[in-house]
Amino acid sequence: MAETLYGPFRVVLDTADPFPLQRVIIAGSSNADGVYELNIDHPPLDLVVKGDEWSIEVQFLKSFPHAEWITSPFVHSTAFVFKEGLIVDLESGQLGSPSLGDGFHPSIRLICRSLDPATNPIPSNNPYDFTVPAR
């Protein structure tokens, strides 16, 4: 399933399993729509995506019984990190077999950092003085 993000973000591939073949699809942006293959022959994913509302999706190549691209689910977390700003951490992978008690198996981790200055204001100096005056 695709994840929708709003505004400019820097999208960086943190980790990726080499098998199965995987790709990232970006749609609805103003500058980075396309399919980005994730394999040894391509440089690591590190791009700035701009747009009011855009989506990111991860797919893996299922080869049995016939080759087809399957959308991979996301597990995401969001945090506001001091001096870094809004960070959306997306892990994509495959769901295991319920009969074996398997859960979610992450195979890709994307770190998306907001570049919106309204969201990530520059930290200012503390306007308050907490020093105790000398007597």
Side-chain angles (χ1 to χ4, degrees):
M1 177 159 207
E3 187 78 18
T4 302
L5 296 171
Y6 302 91
F9 275 84
R10 178 176 179 213
V11 178
V12 176
L13 176 66
D14 184 55
T15 57
D17 289 344
F19 183 80
L21 291 178
Q22 300 172 90
R23 65 185 184 181
V24 172
I25 300 172
I26 295 177
S29 74
S30 61
N31 70 320
D33 284 5
V35 177
Y36 299 89
E37 301 289 335
L38 303 177
N39 62 44
I40 286 179
D41 299 332
H42 292 83
L45 186 69
D46 185 351
L47 56 114
V48 172
V49 182
K50 298 177 183 176
D52 292 335
E53 179 180 342
W54 54 276
S55 65
I56 186 166
E57 177 181 355
V58 171
Q59 294 181 339
F60 68 93
L61 184 62
K62 178 183 163 195
S63 57
F64 184 79
H66 51 74
E68 66 178 310
W69 288 100
I70 305 292
T71 298
S72 183
F74 275 122
V75 172
H76 77 271
S77 62
T78 305
F80 192 88
V81 180
F82 182 68
K83 293 189 179 180
E84 291 184 38
L86 177 64
I87 306 290
V88 179
D89 192 339
L90 301 172
E91 284 188 310
S92 182
Q94 301 173 37
L95 294 174
S97 168
S99 62
L100 297 175
D102 288 344
F104 180 76
H105 300 284
S107 59
I108 288 181
R109 181 176 182 220
L110 298 168
I111 299 174
C112 306
R113 181 181 176 270
S114 175
L115 300 175
D116 184 357
T119 303
N120 298 338
I122 297 171
S124 61
N125 293 334
N126 187 346
Y128 304 102
D129 182 7
F130 295 103
T131 58
V132 178
R135 293 185 190 196

